[in-house]
Amino acid sequence: MALARLGKVVPKTSILFLCDMQEKFRPTIAHFPQIVAVAARMLQVAQLLEIPVVVTEQYPQGLGPTVPELGAEGLRKFPKTCFSMLVPEVEQELGALPHLRSVLLCGIEAQACIMSTALDALERGLDVHVVADACSSRSQVDRLAALSRLRQSGAFITTSEGLILQLVRDAAHPCFRQIQKVIKDPAPDSGLVSLFPGQSSGFS
């Protein structure tokens, strides 16, 4: 069975996508501080493991810059107006990564830019891992429905810590102690448990 169908991830064939975590969304997105904090963890780990990173901004003239607490100040920002992150400039970045297999996806909003990005990446034959505790929406109904829809379409719905530990794979990894410091405390609660009562979970 192909590794892509198993959902295994390795740093050298992965890329981290950070989608539209901008100032104007701060008051409207549910659990925004927690979502950004978890995405910041993913960014720290990506930098430690030398995983390429793409950061987009939706109409930055109106929606403002990427929030500073994400920790992406030194990274190029790709402006866009379409919902998918796969604008031509980002496609060029992907084209420079011939061994790319996996997109690790964080950001907002789940039913809009996360959905469009994931579907476009899946259509290109890439393995998409949606970091559920690093994605949200204004409406939690939209967030829940989007996670379920993405899973139906073939994306892997995961958590930040689960994905980080898959990437590092071994406590003997030279970066493990640094990564251990990043995940020492549990990821902040972004309301996922309340979305999934009983057996109606998008993870089941």
Side-chain angles (χ1 to χ4, degrees):
M1 184 180 291
L3 291 181
R5 300 307 310 151
L6 292 175
K8 296 186 77 170
V9 290
V10 292
K12 66 182 179 181
T13 59
S14 298
I15 191 167
L16 176 64
F17 276 15
L18 300 174
C19 185
D20 304 351
M21 284 173 274
Q22 295 159 254
E23 285 291 348
K24 287 292 180 71
F25 291 119
R26 190 187 294 276
T28 59
I29 298 296
H31 307 287
F32 185 84
Q34 293 85 359
I35 293 298
V36 173
V38 175
R41 287 182 173 213
M42 292 299 302
L43 175 55
Q44 290 177 61
V45 170
Q47 290 172 329
L48 287 168
L49 297 178
E50 300 182 345
I51 295 171
V53 180
V54 167
V55 184
T56 58
E57 294 178 338
Q58 180 74 13
Y59 186 60
Q61 304 95 313
L63 296 172
T66 298
V67 296
E69 58 266 37
L70 183 60
E73 292 88 346
L75 298 177
R76 178 183 178 185
K77 313 301 189 301
F78 294 89
K80 64 185 182 68
T81 56
C82 61
F83 295 137
S84 176
M85 294 177 72
L86 296 183
V87 295
E89 296 83 0
V90 172
E91 293 272 22
Q92 289 179 5
E93 295 286 312
L94 301 187
L97 301 169
H99 302 296
L100 180 64
R101 177 183 293 141
S102 304
V103 172
L104 320 177
L105 184 53
C106 306
I108 57 178
E109 289 189 61
Q111 82 285 2
C113 297
I114 296 299
M115 176 76 71
S116 293
T117 300
L119 295 178
D120 279 355
L122 288 165
E123 189 174 45
R124 287 158 174 77
L126 294 169
D127 191 359
V128 177
H129 296 260
V130 178
V131 186
D133 53 340
C135 294
S136 192
S137 302
R138 290 165 296 148
S139 161
Q140 292 302 273
V141 173
D142 282 333
R143 184 187 185 192
L144 175 59
L147 292 174
S148 178
R149 166 77 166 82
L150 285 164
R151 185 174 181 273
Q152 291 170 346
S153 296
F156 295 97
I157 310 301
T158 187
T159 64
S160 55
E161 184 163 330
L163 196 54
I164 288 166
L165 292 174
Q166 286 181 58
L167 287 165
V168 72
R169 294 181 64 83
D170 193 327
H173 191 287
C175 292
F176 180 71
R177 287 191 180 275
Q178 291 167 283
I179 290 172
Q180 192 176 37
K181 292 176 183 176
V182 174
I183 63 172
K184 178 179 67 173
D185 295 322
D189 179 14
S190 61
L192 284 173
V193 174
S194 65
L195 288 180
F196 299 139
Q199 297 302 309
S200 61
S201 168
F203 296 101
S204 61

